[in-house]
Amino acid sequence: MGIPTKDYGRQHRALWSELAGEIERCLFGDDPVLGAAVEAFERELADYHGVAHAVGVNCGTDAIVMALRGLGVRDGDEVVTSAHTFSGVVSAIVQAGGVPRLVEPERETMVVAREALQAACTPRTRALLPVHLYGQPIDLVGLRDWCTARGLVLIEDCAQAHGARRRGRSLGSFGHAAATSFHPSKNLGAFGDGGAVLTDDANLAAALRIRRHLGKAGKYEMVAIGPNSKLDTLQAVLLRVKLRHLDEWVERRAALAERYRRGLEGVGDLVLPLPVREAGARHAWHLYVVRSARRDALREFLAERGIKTGMHYPIAAHEQPALRDRCLGGPFPLAAELARTVVSLPLSQELTEAEIDVVIDATRRFFATAP
Ligand SMILES: *Cc1c(COP(=O)(O)O)cnc(C)c1O
């Protein structure tokens, strides 16, 4: 009972007639690792994004680390990203040997604008890592050329942006490479970990296919040092089926996000996420993140009524015990404020209008009570 933030059972029951035969074929076959299903998914994923290559890896974090290293980030190089993001992104920069330089996001969109990324570059900068957080599509047109001219690389983090577009193009096609994740919670999610690197760079794609497999060029010969980080074949089987539904899911999420906007506009001190109305642009609506100074009380009120909510994210990267001494830049008053005020309301394509209305009604009732 209640309203969940995620309901994997609902998603898989709805797709079962399509999934069952594919799963059976995979389990009765002899391709447990890589093989035809992974290759087919990589092809379909690259085509969907309008890029030449997709390389499946174990998770989105590995995709970031491998893209950074593969594009030449070396120990001590600075990598510029948002101060308001999933802390795993900042960890990935450190794992790749880089030094994170964080930048405050824009207040309205909660993502870093390209101008802020550019302004944060120093002589030690090697890469820019914009994160399309919550599915909000950052306008990156022209930034790749700007980077190339300066010997920098542009890597997009599209983990939350499956299905998002800007200027008529899929996110993930603007950088030298993009990293994405198929964590079950994402718009395009596996049932376990998964990730991919997208790129037009054939050399990078070839190198990553070797690196993800312990640096092996074939079955026996090891030509590089790399992790064992492959996209599981069974996950690729699920993802192939789900990719066919991604566009219809994103449309459904947008409709539910619009329902929230109409129901919650002007309520209490709530700040709602900005819809994207520009032609050729599409928000992926991975999360519906609102802000309130009364965040914790609101979450408790909703939880008492069976409504689950999330926080993305309550601890800013520069405040993480493992990261705070490793990040450059700051101070980050806005990132700190967002960490205290953000709350993610339930949003998924499986939810009904009636369920969204229950969340809206309860939220309105909360703000009708005195603080
Ligand atoms: C989920 C996520 C990742 C990577 O996640 P994995 O769990 O490692 O697949 C990277 N960046 C962002 C913004 C994410 O939301």
Side-chain angles (χ1 to χ4, degrees):
M1 275 307 287
I3 299 178
T5 46
K6 301 288 168 210
D7 187 336
Y8 304 119
R10 257 196 231 190
Q11 181 178 116
H12 293 131
R13 267 193 295 276
L15 292 178
W16 191 242
S17 62
E18 289 171 74
L19 286 172
E22 299 294 335
I23 292 171
E24 189 176 287
R25 220 186 329 279
C26 179
L27 293 182
F28 292 3
D30 54 6
D31 254 355
V33 175
L34 297 177
V38 172
E39 272 171 41
F41 174 64
E42 288 178 336
R43 186 68 265 136
E44 289 157 7
L45 188 72
D47 290 347
Y48 179 89
H49 287 88
V51 298
H53 309 278
V55 182
V57 296
N58 177 66
C59 64
T61 307
D62 281 3
I64 300 173
V65 175
M66 292 167 77
L68 287 168
R69 291 300 290 189
L71 285 170
V73 169
R74 292 297 169 257
D75 294 356
D77 288 347
E78 288 182 18
V79 179
V80 182
T81 195
S82 180
H84 178 62
T85 185
F86 172 52
S87 291
V89 176
V90 181
S91 171
I93 294 170
V94 175
Q95 290 180 52
V99 181
R101 178 173 286 280
L102 305 184
V103 179
E104 286 265 83
E106 295 179 317
R107 179 171 283 280
E108 303 71 39
T109 60
M110 299 182 273
V111 295
V112 173
R114 52 179 294 154
E115 294 78 12
L117 293 168
Q118 291 170 301
C121 289
T122 74
R124 299 184 63 105
T125 305
R126 180 75 189 121
L128 305 188
L129 182 48
V131 181
H132 303 289
L133 199 71
Y134 309 148
Q136 171 77 40
I138 305 172
D139 188 357
L140 298 175
V141 162
L143 190 58
R144 175 159 147 184
D145 290 343
W146 184 89
C147 285
T148 304
R150 285 159 184 78
L152 306 177
V153 293
L154 176 62
I155 300 172
E156 295 174 72
D157 181 330
C158 296
Q160 300 194 3
H162 298 291
R165 303 173 73 79
R166 194 82 195 243
R167 308 233 196 178
R169 279 167 56 188
S170 263
L171 301 188
S173 67
F174 291 94
H176 293 96
T180 194
S181 164
F182 309 116
H183 182 275
S185 65
K186 310 299 188 196
N187 284 10
L188 180 62
F191 201 67
D193 281 312
V197 175
L198 306 169
T199 187
D200 285 326
D201 181 340
N203 292 330
L204 175 65
L208 292 183
R209 284 184 207 291
I210 290 171
R211 264 188 67 81
R212 71 176 170 186
H213 196 188
L214 283 166
K216 292 196 293 184
K219 196 168 162 59
Y220 300 110
E221 193 191 14
M222 191 173 284
V223 297
I225 298 297
N228 186 357
S229 180
K230 305 182 288 283
L231 178 65
D232 279 340
T233 309
L234 195 51
Q235 304 299 355
V237 166
L238 293 179
L239 290 165
R240 284 190 77 194
V241 171
K242 293 188 187 189
L243 180 58
R244 294 180 210 136
H245 294 272
L246 180 58
D247 283 324
E248 109 212 4
W249 285 348
V250 172
E251 295 301 332
R252 169 85 186 146
R253 300 177 88 95
L256 296 179
E258 179 61 15
R259 196 172 186 90
Y260 270 137
R261 191 189 64 76
R262 277 184 276 132
L264 294 176
E265 202 149 58
V267 171
D269 72 341
L270 275 186
V271 179
L272 305 183
L274 277 191
V276 173
R277 303 215 189 277
E278 180 189 305
R282 186 165 78 173
H283 196 306
W285 293 109
H286 172 57
L287 292 165
Y288 195 83
V289 176
V290 303
R291 287 172 264 174
S292 169
R294 298 172 65 195
R295 188 262 311 269
D296 295 339
L298 170 63
R299 293 192 70 219
E300 205 177 297
F301 185 91
L302 295 177
E304 282 162 6
R305 283 149 188 83
I307 300 167
K308 291 222 173 78
T309 57
M311 291 183 286
H312 299 83
Y313 297 89
I315 305 178
H318 70 278
E319 291 171 343
Q320 292 285 6
L323 297 171
R324 64 178 155 230
D325 297 329
R326 297 178 179 269
C327 298
L328 303 175
F332 307 108
L334 180 55
E337 178 191 319
L338 293 176
R340 285 192 307 273
T341 56
V342 287
V343 48
S344 310
L345 301 181
L347 178 66
S348 76
Q349 58 273 359
E350 286 82 27
L351 290 175
T352 63
E353 278 81 0
E355 287 174 314
I356 299 295
D357 291 346
V358 168
V359 181
I360 291 172
D361 288 346
T363 304
R364 297 182 72 101
R365 258 184 292 135
F366 170 79
F367 284 104
T369 63

